[in-house]
Amino acid sequence: MRVLLLGGTNEARRLAAGLTRRAGFDVITSLAGRVAEPALPAGRTRVGGFGGTDGLAAWLVAERIDAVVDATHPFAAEITVSAVTATTRTGVPLLVLRRPGWHEGPGDDWRRVPSLAAAADPPGERVFLTTGRDGLPIFAGDDRRWFLVRSVEPPPPPLPPRSTVLLARGPYTVEGELELMRRHAVDVLVTKDSGGEMTAAKLTAARLLGLPVVMVDRPPMPAAPAVTTVDAAETWLERLLRTGASPGL
């Protein structure tokens, strides 16, 4: 079975590693190419876009892909919409693998907002910003607050005029996040509801320090079969391999 794995996440790398150890699967992981030195998965990879929905549909047919698993980031809404449309058009079974979002617990002070633009006026003066590179222009006009911007790679301008960029890649620890927030006297955290354990330590640290968290909600996902764990995705693919037809959920 030829499987296209839309990747870039920890779950995608774990799924690729599991499938490459199993007989009967030929896995190609597609990476968007937005990170110069991505963490590479096991098996074959391709880097770069497909040229929109039409390009993806044509690629699926040309490469004789038997199944697609979309294990992209929860905020990569555009590729998910494209994958749903392209697989519907070509009749290729699709499964969306999305890790669960984070949930507020006792002691947390979260302020949920529907979009990154709605997070542009956080309740603090020293902001720990962990929303990725693309959204930084939203904060670029804020000359009142100071921002600690964490990014895997150097973000392009424009940046907030009063900001410090920290280049780092998870996973992070609670101890490390506490030390970082204390050292920079952070008084508010702004982040996206990405979910997962690799970057959850900042939420625990914010709770322990009594800091508010501005949490950007995920974009709505189009209707498609979906699971939340790598094991469930493997089970779906194995059933599809045995039956030769979409197994459903």
Side-chain angles (χ1 to χ4, degrees), residues 25-82:
F25 292 103
D26 177 15
V27 182
I28 304 171
T29 297
S30 177
L31 302 174
R34 299 171 62 190
V35 178
E37 297 183 5
L40 294 176
R44 293 194 288 156
T45 60
R46 68 173 302 280
V47 179
F50 292 93
T53 300
D54 292 343
L56 176 56
W59 192 90
L60 295 176
V61 173
E63 295 295 324
R64 299 183 178 182
I65 298 300
D66 298 303
V68 176
V69 177
D70 173 11
T72 53
H73 193 276
F75 282 80
E78 186 175 343
I79 185 60
T80 299
V81 171
S82 183

Side-chain angles (χ1 to χ4, degrees), residues 10-248:
N10 181 49
E11 290 79 17
R13 290 187 290 274
R14 288 168 50 205
L15 180 57
L19 293 178
T20 55
R21 291 193 294 264
R22 286 172 163 77
F25 292 103
D26 177 15
V27 182
I28 304 171
T29 297
S30 177
L31 302 174
R34 299 171 62 190
V35 178
E37 297 183 5
L40 294 176
R44 293 194 288 156
T45 60
R46 68 173 302 280
V47 179
F50 292 93
T53 300
D54 292 343
L56 176 56
W59 192 90
L60 295 176
V61 173
E63 295 295 324
R64 299 183 178 182
I65 298 300
D66 298 303
V68 176
V69 177
D70 173 11
T72 53
H73 193 276
F75 282 80
E78 186 175 343
I79 185 60
T80 299
V81 171
S82 183
V84 170
T85 304
T87 54
T88 299
R89 184 183 304 171
T90 57
V92 177
L94 167 71
L95 181 70
V96 177
L97 170 57
R98 284 287 185 277
R99 58 181 176 255
W102 290 314
H103 295 284
E104 189 174 5
D108 286 325
D109 179 12
W110 290 10
R111 325 287 175 88
R112 284 196 172 272
V113 293
S115 66
L116 193 55
D121 188 24
E125 301 296 326
R126 296 182 65 81
V127 184
F128 186 16
L129 195 56
T130 66
T131 56
R133 295 179 296 168
D134 290 347
L136 292 180
I138 291 174
F139 302 89
D142 190 339
D143 59 3
R144 179 171 66 85
R145 297 177 179 86
W146 175 86
F147 292 84
L148 175 62
V149 178
R150 185 160 67 190
S151 178
V152 174
E153 293 189 342
L159 299 176
R162 301 176 60 221
S163 60
T164 296
V165 175
L166 172 64
L167 301 182
R169 188 195 300 265
Y172 305 105
T173 65
V174 173
E175 293 76 13
E177 299 289 64
L178 283 169
E179 191 279 329
L180 181 68
M181 293 182 188
R182 285 170 173 152
R183 173 159 43 95
H184 291 282
V186 167
D187 59 13
V188 62
L189 168 66
V190 179
T191 192
K192 293 178 177 178
D193 187 7
S194 300
E197 295 299 319
M198 290 187 67
T199 60
K202 61 191 172 187
L203 302 174
T204 303
R207 180 173 65 249
L208 293 174
L209 294 173
L211 304 184
V213 176
V214 179
M215 182 69 68
V216 180
D217 286 333
R218 296 180 176 188
M221 195 181 81
V227 295
T228 59
T229 67
V230 172
D231 287 346
E234 290 179 345
T235 298
W236 185 87
L237 286 166
E238 289 169 349
R239 193 176 303 139
L240 184 59
L241 178 65
R242 290 196 307 270
T243 64
S246 180

